[in-house]
Amino acid sequence: MAATIIDGKAFAARVRGQVAEHVARLKEVHGLTPGLAVVLVGEDPASQVYVRSKGKQTVEVGMASFEHKLPAETDQETLMALVEQLNSDPSVHGILVQLPLPDHLDEEAVLNAINPAKDVDGFHISNVGLLGTGQKAMVPCTPLGCLMMLREHHGSLSGMDAVVIGRSNIVGKPMAQLLLGDSCTVTIAHSRTKDLPEVVRRADIVVAAVGRPEMVPGDWIKPGASVIDVGINRVPAPEKGDGKTRLVGDCQFDSCAEIAGAITPVPGGVGPMTIACLLANTLTATCRAAGLPEPEGLTA
Amino acid sequence: MAATIIDGKAFAARVRGQVAEHVARLKEVHGLTPGLAVVLVGEDPASQVYVRSKGKQTVEVGMASFEHKLPAETDQETLMALVEQLNSDPSVHGILVQLPLPDHLDEEAVLNAINPAKDVDGFHISNVGLLGTGQKAMVPCTPLGCLMMLREHHGSLSGMDAVVIGRSNIVGKPMAQLLLGDSCTVTIAHSRTKDLPEVVRRADIVVAAVGRPEMVPGDWIKPGASVIDVGINRVPAPEKGDGKTRLVGDCQFDSCAEIAGAITPVPGGVGPMTIACLLANTLTATCRAAGLPEPEGLTA
């Protein structure tokens, strides 16, 4: 195995440490406690785990955490009213509505009701537009985490050939914008791409965000390239016993790690960075709202 | 010369004809006259020519044209008040503020004050965000014109390798979004791209939008590729006499036309399509505002 393993877990811990330092200073110097409100509608078990984990880490870095759990049958009006209330609450600097919402709710409308300045998920169309025109935005957490790891590993990304596999609004498209902002030559590939192996083989940076278990084998990777694996796929693991499962990424880790220069593992790569970036975004939102300089290195 | 010449002038005339038919029907059936307001601040000669040409073509397709010419020393407040007035005027379906604005005015703030539903230039961050998430948007006119010509020539663009040279907010970035929306594999290249000739050589579709006279020679073009030349550059033409000039694109027309399968000339390619798409956008905005079905083939 040749590649440097990019330890997302350790990196995320460092980011949380930096955030905690800034939070301590905000409290001490400005009497200001950043607050993150998380809204969960319904009982989706995975969402409950995420929300619990977010709440715990929010408190650990010294921020205030506000959890709003609503029953699955909550109607649009009630949810919109809650968002409005959080928008106007000065102790709330970041608002996250946990997705997916139950089917009867209009996700788009809810996300776009959030004050863009508090939209720490970066999904509001205003933030998409700001990012898409190279302005200061709230940047979606997962691609922001990927960018931070790439910057940390490479320093400047300027002039590198980057390929993003997947064109989702949550990862692929904002990732492409961020890499373009750092002056990569960016290619966005997807299910209709004609010769994906060949496209991936040209890349100095590969970001895989498709959600297909181990679809990228090592022989697609250019020797020495950096591989950022966003996929988190649960697959059967009969070798661990009947009915057991394990997590894999969108890349075949072993074969990619033999060829790549650097690679993020799954789990322990991109995953932990996502919540760390949520906290970083909440800090950034707090500083912007207070007219204070933004902490360096914690946003795009 | 092998390439099909994509006649933007003729295509634009057809688009205007379609728009005019729709406008006639809107008037007859719904008593509705689409209106386009154009705001010009100052005396920039090129802008004056554009505005005159826009006004003329607006009237020719049967729409109402409202021209607002303000002195160069107009202050931000006055301009914002005019935008507000146009936002709330029901006879105005499209608003265009001619760029560039004089230096003392905040262009960003003015563009983002326009009601996104009337933002026929597609520069409001909400429209950038809508386009960037694959939703219904007002699409910037120049890239929309390029897309229409490519669709007309190729039918489906799905799976084609497209390279956009230039990453401006007005052309390059929205062009990339549109090509991605039509399922091209899209690469965005720019001044920091390492091996631009090689990147361009892989492309089935090349959109050049850099503003550098004749920077793309024919030997960068893959045989049979489609070349869309957005550049309009005025260069000295001593062969026409002392002090004379001529217009050239970002591509070397003769050498590219020998290799390409199709190419847009300069002038007479992308240029005329831009105003035609402005009229198409105004029609689309009118239909959306009235809750009527949008005309087909006139937006992304």
Side-chain angles (χ1 to χ4, degrees), chain A residues 7 10 30 43 117 126 149-150 154 159-160 166 170 187 193 242 255 272 277-279 281 291:
Chain A
D7 185 343
H30 302 279
E43 318 263 306
S126 294
M149 292 192 285
L150 284 167
H154 288 284
M160 297 182 78
I170 293 177
T187 299
T193 292
D242 248 19
S255 63
C277 286
L278 173 68
L279 302 175
N281 275 349

Side-chain angles (χ1 to χ4, degrees), chain A residues 71-109:
Chain A
E73 61 273 17
T74 300
D75 62 16
Q76 185 82 11
E77 207 182 358
T78 308
L79 183 54
M80 297 292 264
L82 173 58
V83 168
E84 254 332 299
Q85 180 205 312
L86 297 172
N87 279 343
S88 52
D89 183 343
S91 63
V92 172
H93 302 92
I95 303 170
L96 181 151
V97 176
Q98 182 67 44
L99 303 181
L101 289 173
D103 284 344
H104 67 283
L105 294 170
D106 180 348
E107 213 162 88
E108 210 72 68

Side-chain angles (χ1 to χ4, degrees), chain A residues 108 112 123-135 158-161 167 169 173 177 179-190 192-194 199 202 204 222, chain B residues 108 112 123-135 158-161 167 169 173 177 179-190 192-194 199 202 204 222:
Chain A
E108 210 72 68
N112 286 318
F123 295 158
H124 192 290
I125 53 162
S126 294
N127 280 316
V128 178
L130 289 167
L131 180 61
T133 50
Q135 298 179 75
S158 179
M160 297 182 78
D161 285 313
R167 50 174 163 169
N169 291 335
K173 288 179 187 172
Q177 296 286 0
L179 292 166
L180 188 62
D182 271 27
S183 293
C184 293
T185 302
V186 182
T187 299
I188 312 178
H190 45 77
R192 303 294 175 83
T193 292
K194 270 183 306 193
V199 170
R202 326 194 270 239
D204 306 311
K222 174 164 141 180
Chain B
E108 210 73 68
N112 286 318
F123 295 158
H124 191 290
I125 53 162
S126 293
N127 280 316
V128 179
L130 289 168
L131 180 61
T133 50
Q135 298 178 75
S158 179
M160 296 182 80
D161 285 312
R167 51 174 162 168
N169 292 335
K173 287 180 185 172
Q177 296 285 0
L179 292 166
L180 188 62
D182 270 27
S183 294
C184 293
T185 302
V186 181
T187 299
I188 311 178
H190 44 79
R192 303 293 175 84
T193 292
K194 272 183 305 192
V199 170
R202 328 195 268 239
D204 305 312
K222 174 164 141 181

Side-chain angles (χ1 to χ4, degrees), chain A residues 3-86:
Chain A
T4 302
I5 308 298
I6 300 179
D7 185 343
K9 207 172 154 185
F11 194 162
R14 282 208 303 286
V15 170
R16 288 197 305 273
Q18 287 173 271
V19 170
E21 277 176 37
H22 284 285
V23 170
R25 211 169 312 135
L26 277 178
K27 284 181 181 174
E28 203 182 298
V29 180
H30 302 279
L32 195 59
T33 303
L36 174 61
V38 175
V39 178
L40 174 63
V41 183
E43 318 263 306
D44 180 70
S47 292
Q48 286 181 320
V49 172
Y50 291 140
V51 167
R52 203 174 312 129
S53 178
K54 285 168 186 171
K56 186 165 164 282
Q57 296 190 28
T58 304
V59 172
E60 278 170 4
V61 296
M63 294 181 180
S65 167
F66 310 101
E67 286 185 22
H68 294 265
K69 297 185 178 169
L70 304 179
E73 61 273 17
T74 300
D75 62 16
Q76 185 82 11
E77 207 182 358
T78 308
L79 183 54
M80 297 292 264
L82 173 58
V83 168
E84 254 332 299
Q85 180 205 312
L86 297 172

